[in-house]
Amino acid sequence: RKDQRGRLVFYHANGKGTGAAVQFELRMNRNGEGSYDCIFMEMALQKTTASSVGGERTPATFDWGRKVTVKLDFNDICEMLLVLEGQKETLGSNKNGLYHEAKGASVLIALEKDAGQSGYYVGISKKRGAEQVFKGRMLLSQTESLGLRHILQASLFWMVFRRNVCFEGA
């Protein structure tokens, strides 16, 4: 995991180059806006593997230029929390995940407990018609899953009640 201002990011690179990264960002409306108050979840596939040349290490990179972004609203986040708190096995009523449509594409968001009890699988799959344009999946550790659960829980408060809390300049 690497901290970025205002984002929770998990990087899971591997030596095969088949890893992924996922980030969560709480986005709040500015005065006069009406399209956010949500969490944006973005996933990118691993682009390069880590290397070491002459004692200098170059970290793996991720293809953020071809990332997939999904907008998680109040209900989506509550569904994710049901899974992270062990009240449901997987996201969605059909057990395939949460289904979203945007800009002529369909997106499926997956979250499920690992059978080995070592964490939670999170994934995003995007199709345009029958064509698969993105498919990413990664295993969040128990520690990462706990942190994500608490971030999602805290975000719900701000998404709903932020306007009731007085902040200078808000």
Side-chain angles (χ1 to χ4, degrees), residues 11-95:
Y11 294 96
H12 286 229
N14 62 42
K16 298 178 199 172
T18 59
V22 65
Q23 71 180 14
F24 299 86
E25 180 181 2
L26 177 62
R27 295 284 293 273
M28 305 303 288
N29 294 340
R30 295 187 181 117
N31 289 335
E33 290 181 334
S35 62
Y36 295 132
D37 287 352
C38 65
I39 290 183
F40 280 112
M41 176 182 169
E42 298 178 324
M43 184 172 268
L45 300 176
Q46 187 175 342
K47 192 174 186 177
T48 64
T49 59
S51 63
S52 190
V53 177
E56 212 167 299
R57 186 169 172 8
T58 303
T61 61
F62 295 85
D63 194 355
W64 291 106
R66 294 184 183 197
K67 69 184 177 194
V68 170
T69 303
V70 292
K71 182 178 173 181
L72 303 173
D73 64 15
F74 183 87
N75 288 331
D76 295 333
I77 295 166
C78 288
E79 280 276 336
M80 292 180 84
L81 287 170
L82 285 172
V83 175
L84 290 168
E85 292 176 356
Q87 297 179 46
K88 284 183 74 173
E89 289 182 30
T90 61
L91 283 181
S93 58
N94 62 5
K95 304 220 185 247

Side-chain angles (χ1 to χ4, degrees), residues 4-16:
Q4 289 189 354
R5 186 178 179 154
R7 294 185 182 115
L8 174 63
V9 186
F10 300 105
Y11 294 96
H12 286 229
N14 62 42
K16 298 178 199 172

